[in-house]
Amino acid sequence: MKKIVIVGAGASGVYLSLLLKQQMPQNQIIVLEQNKSPLKKLLATGNGRCNLSNRKMHSQYYQSDQLKMVQSIIQDFDMVEQMQKIGLYCVYQGDLLYPKSEQALSVRNVFMQRSEEAGVVFQYEQEVLQIQRQKHQYLIKTNSQNIIADVIVLAMGSEAGKLSGMNTSRYEILKQMHLKVVEPVPSLVQFYTSPVLKSLKGVRVKGTFSLVENEKCIHQEKGELLFTDYGVSGIAVMQLSSFYQKHHHYQLYIDFFDELSHNQLCQLLSKQSSLFLEGLMNHKIAKAFQKYQYLSIDQLVSLLKHYPLEIKGIREASYAQVMKGGLSLKEVTEDLELKQYPCIYAMGEILNVAGMCGGYNLHFAFASAYRVAKAIERNVYVKNS
């Protein structure tokens, strides 16, 4: 019998525990979680609806230092088929895949029920502080106990969004093991802007939004933006934030009328009455633009099609959905086994893999667990035969 310890009860950790117990029921599977309960971040995914995957599943929607490996992992995993095997029925809404229930809670309940029924042991409030090699096994030191393991899987997640815990010891463990860690920075997060349009707080705008540096468009997103009391938020902003880099100076350009060309908007405005922009856009935005009544129609249209905000920075990790950075994929094999440490694997958010909004990060979490499960089953079988 082998003792397999999974560090982290997030999406990848819980799914892996279930796969391993189903494939190798004779082995002891222990999941260590630093929080008081499992799958906390999963419950917030997709505004509680749990966006699991996307029809357009390709490595171009990810950032990593080994995109070819990412492509192999995500392509090797069929979310609909694998979820149905554990009793979770999923349906596509457009390109986005959701559980039929549209409830992250039901996903959590299915995973935990199946795992506990299979005999997985979950231990909570266990922060792993150190991992040491001991001949052919490993010693795991937590805040309250020592555990000897034959196989370890690192699935600690990241500090994004508070929900998987803000302790940075997850990275210290990797550094103690002399593994390369790409500096983690927040991604899929809101922008601080100048000016801050506080009069528009709570107003949502549909349009096209461009991240620009030195008059060059870095990336463009069509979607929705939300004005806040610190800057801007919304799905389009979250996507743009994944292209943000420290020590760069960016502007955000808003096209309030992306469905109209410059000339078409000029014609439309030329027919407006003294109400100015009322009837064309949100009342609060129309009111905010009243100060530009002195502009010519051509100048006003240029402003409405390219309204500039200076980006002062991104919000902190506690507000982010994911972190760019983490354990370099150059440290692992195609099976996600650490090259320097046989029988230690890494998966999910602890790796230097960050996807866009739209189910990409959850897909990688489950797909990486699936890859590790196959590798452990194969390796344990070979060693026992």
Side-chain angles (χ1 to χ4, degrees):
M1 182 180 76
K2 297 288 185 181
K3 182 183 287 187
I4 301 172
V5 176
I6 300 168
V7 183
S12 59
V14 174
Y15 183 49
L16 176 65
S17 74
L18 174 58
L19 291 177
L20 292 178
K21 202 62 179 174
Q22 288 177 335
Q23 295 166 357
M24 301 178 294
Q26 73 280 8
N27 292 305
Q28 186 178 7
I29 312 296
I30 299 173
V31 181
L32 303 178
E33 169 57 44
Q34 68 173 346
N35 287 309
K36 294 180 180 179
S37 60
L39 297 170
K40 291 183 69 175
K41 190 177 288 188
L42 180 81
L43 289 174
T45 305
N47 292 321
R49 295 173 61 210
C50 203
N51 179 195
L52 293 164
S53 186
N54 198 298
R55 286 189 194 275
K56 299 175 180 176
M57 190 52 58
H58 194 277
S59 61
Q60 72 185 68
Y61 299 104
Y62 291 87
Q63 295 185 41
S64 176
D65 52 356
Q66 293 288 317
L67 283 176
K68 186 177 290 187
M69 188 187 300
V70 173
Q71 180 68 28
S72 170
I73 291 169
I74 60 177
Q75 276 194 327
D76 192 37
F77 184 71
D78 186 323
M79 182 71 78
V80 174
E81 178 184 341
Q82 296 304 323
M83 291 301 103
Q84 199 155 343
K85 284 183 178 179
I86 64 172
L88 187 69
Y89 180 55
C90 303
V91 293
Y92 279 100
Q93 296 180 16
D95 289 330
L96 306 182
L97 183 70
Y98 291 95
K100 177 66 174 177
S101 65
E102 294 192 41
Q103 287 185 306
L105 179 61
S106 70
V107 178
R108 175 192 178 278
N109 290 344
V110 167
F111 271 80
M112 292 309 298
Q113 183 179 346
R114 297 291 184 274
S115 300
E116 289 168 353
E117 285 174 352
V120 177
V121 175
F122 290 88
Q123 297 183 13
Y124 300 106
E125 297 184 87
Q126 295 291 314
E127 182 185 357
V128 174
L129 303 175
Q130 196 174 33
I131 296 173
Q132 296 178 352
R133 198 195 307 254
Q134 291 199 341
K135 293 185 179 180
H136 301 297
Q137 294 177 305
Y138 293 97
L139 171 66
I140 302 173
K141 294 185 177 182
T142 79
N143 56 313
S144 64
Q145 65 175 321
N146 292 338
I147 303 174
I148 298 294
D150 298 295
V151 179
I152 298 175
V153 183
L154 305 178
M156 300 95 88
S158 71
E159 72 269 40
K162 297 182 182 177
L163 296 176
S164 60
M166 292 297 289
N167 295 329
T168 56
S169 56
R170 55 172 63 85
Y171 303 119
E172 292 305 316
I173 294 168
L174 301 177
K175 291 174 182 177
Q176 288 170 14
M177 298 168 72
H178 304 291
L179 298 168
K180 180 182 177 183
V181 177
V182 179
E183 181 187 4
V185 295
S187 187
L188 304 187
V189 69
Q190 305 90 348
F191 285 138
Y192 290 112
T193 66
S194 178
V196 176
L197 304 177
K198 292 187 178 181
S199 65
L200 300 183
K201 179 183 176 182
V203 174
R204 295 181 181 274
V205 173
K206 294 190 187 310
T208 296
F209 312 97
S210 304
L211 183 68
V212 175
E213 182 180 27
N214 297 325
E215 300 184 358
K216 178 184 177 182
C217 183
I218 306 301
H219 189 72
Q220 195 171 73
E221 281 289 329
K222 182 179 176 68
E224 186 176 80
L225 173 147
L226 171 67
F227 289 104
T228 70
D229 57 3
Y230 55 80
V232 290
S233 182
I235 296 297
V237 169
M238 300 285 196
Q239 302 284 46
L240 290 174
S241 73
S242 64
F243 295 88
Y244 178 92
Q245 296 184 53
K246 292 171 66 175
H247 311 304
H248 286 243
H249 300 286
Y250 299 100
Q251 293 77 42
L252 174 68
Y253 282 92
I254 301 173
D255 184 349
F256 290 98
F257 291 90
D258 60 350
E259 76 279 13
L260 298 175
S261 68
H262 183 98
N263 289 338
Q264 287 172 328
L265 187 52
C266 282
Q267 293 175 11
L268 185 61
L269 286 181
S270 67
K271 298 174 183 177
Q272 280 300 99
S273 65
S274 58
L275 288 175
F276 196 51
L277 294 175
E278 286 286 355
L280 297 183
M281 55 201 313
N282 180 281
H283 166 71
K284 288 186 177 180
I285 300 177
K287 186 176 180 180
F289 267 81
Q290 283 181 351
K291 61 184 178 183
Y292 300 117
Q293 289 190 72
Y294 66 90
L295 295 177
S296 69
I297 288 180
D298 186 69
Q299 290 173 324
L300 179 61
V301 167
S302 292
L303 192 60
L304 289 168
K305 297 283 289 177
H306 304 89
Y307 187 81
L309 291 172
E310 183 182 356
I311 296 175
K312 303 300 289 185
I314 52 176
R315 296 197 86 189
E316 297 75 15
S318 58
Y319 297 97
Q321 290 187 19
V322 297
M323 301 290 285
K324 288 191 297 187
L327 177 63
S328 170
L329 266 66
K330 294 178 181 178
E331 295 283 3
V332 299
T333 68
E334 289 288 328
D335 286 334
L336 299 179
E337 185 176 17
L338 297 185
K339 294 176 180 177
Q340 298 182 49
Y341 297 89
C343 296
I344 297 185
Y345 299 80
M347 62 184 192
E349 277 191 58
I350 194 65
L351 295 170
N352 179 28
V353 180
M356 303 283 278
C357 293
Y360 293 102
N361 291 294
L362 262 184
H363 185 100
F364 181 77
F366 291 129
S368 60
Y370 183 74
R371 173 66 62 93
V372 170
K374 291 198 297 184
I376 292 176
E377 182 184 23
R378 184 171 60 250
N379 291 342
V380 170
Y381 175 80
V382 168
K383 289 172 184 176
N384 289 343
S385 60

